[in-house]
Amino acid sequence: MESYIIEEYKPRSSRLPARLDLAQSGTGLILGLFMWVHMLLVGSIILGKGAFDFVAKTMELAFLSNTGHGYPIAVFFAVSGVFTLFIVHALLGMRKFPISWRQHRIMRDQMQMMKHTDTNLWYIQAVTGFIMFFAGSVHLYTMLVNPGSIDPFLSADRVVSGNYWFLYLILLICVELHASIGLYRLCMKWGWFTGKDARNSRKKIKTVKNRLTIFFLAIGFLALAMFVIIGFQHRSNAGEPYQGSAYQKTSPAVEEKSASAPDVDAEKPAAESSAAHPADTSHDTDTTPAASDDASDKAAAVTHDTADTHDTADTHEAAAADPDTADAHDAGANHDTDPMPETSSDAGAHDATQPATETH
């Protein structure tokens, strides 16, 4: 048994280890509860892309934005806080890790000899915590530098097109096991929910822990499967964000379309003008006969003048042949120099003088 004893040469009288242990328990409690809430929020993708987008935009405080796009800076600060707690909790937990091969051999031999369930759970918690220190850091750093990339399409593209699916699968298993075991051990360590019968309370709490582990693992696997399906469907358009947010009051495309479209009120006068156009056309049609009559009168006047000119020429020729016709020619000339009467009178006079001229 001496080989299993690690001697301590310096006695400890400081309260620092106890305070560090309390800090480890506090950070672990906050992170464990956060991971359960986080898994419920991520599991909203099971209800559809719209439900997940609503949750993501709510986390971005989109309800405080005029455009409904939210503030990704809120996600940045939230991830920064979680990342800080994650690092602090990991550093505090490393104090109890077996840091040498001798310590690791002692722990393994005790686990095989005692076959104690809680000791085995602690070992699982230590291994999953070690894996999470690397996988969780990658995930948190990705969210830290891309706070506005949380929506159904961009998250699914990160899982499939970004090849994060294996990382998230390992991280899902480690997180749920580590969180459930850690919260269970906190209840046992600090005496929470123990009641009067500690042994019976331990069994009940362990049963609750196992059921919660199965529940959150099921939600995590279904959510990851949904992201994989959406990622494959959206693979040809990878990188395009999800449109149709519940908080988005007016999308940019709609705003551009409404800006380019003419105003309805401005179109009303044009519509009324086009509606009144047939009436104007009919009015012009009604006035067309009057215009036609004027044109006919002008044509008749031109014809009459031409006929008078022709008659005058005939009269001059006749007067040259016979002097007696000079008086008749003067009468015709005087008739032409009189002011032009109405078209109908000229037409009548022309008709009356033409036979006389022919008779002469």
Side-chain angles (χ1 to χ4, degrees), residues 100-154:
S100 65
W101 173 252
R102 184 182 179 186
Q103 292 178 354
H104 181 74
R105 184 174 62 84
I106 293 173
M107 184 186 65
R108 293 292 300 172
D109 291 343
Q110 288 181 349
M111 289 174 58
Q112 293 177 1
M113 179 181 62
M114 298 175 61
K115 298 184 184 301
H116 189 247
T117 305
D118 286 7
T119 304
N120 296 336
L121 290 178
W122 181 90
Y123 184 77
I124 295 174
Q125 188 183 17
V127 173
T128 54
F130 179 78
I131 297 174
M132 285 172 54
F133 184 78
F134 300 97
S137 298
V138 174
H139 172 62
L140 289 172
Y141 178 77
T142 303
M143 295 295 98
L144 190 67
V145 297
N146 299 290
S149 63
I150 304 177
D151 75 8
F153 286 160
L154 296 181

Side-chain angles (χ1 to χ4, degrees), residues 34 59 73-84 144:
F34 168 78
M59 296 298 102
I73 192 66
V75 178
F76 173 82
F77 285 118
V79 175
S80 299
V82 173
F83 207 171
T84 302
L144 190 67

Side-chain angles (χ1 to χ4, degrees), residues 301-314 350 354:
V302 173
T303 305
H304 174 69
D305 294 339
T306 305
D308 290 341
T309 305
H310 177 70
D311 294 339
T312 304
D314 293 341
H350 175 69
Q354 186 173 1

Side-chain angles (χ1 to χ4, degrees), residues 15 29 42 118 126 133 175 195 200 209 226 228 284 314 350:
R15 296 183 178 180
L29 176 63
V42 173
D118 286 7
F133 184 78
V175 164
N200 189 27
K209 185 266 301 180
M226 287 296 299
V228 170
D284 296 339
D314 293 341
H350 175 69

Side-chain angles (χ1 to χ4, degrees), residues 228-252:
V228 170
I229 294 173
I230 296 173
F232 275 109
Q233 294 176 350
H234 195 250
R235 199 168 188 176
S236 58
N237 299 322
E240 294 183 359
Y242 178 77
Q243 301 294 334
S245 172
Y247 286 107
Q248 189 172 353
K249 297 176 177 57
T250 305
S251 62

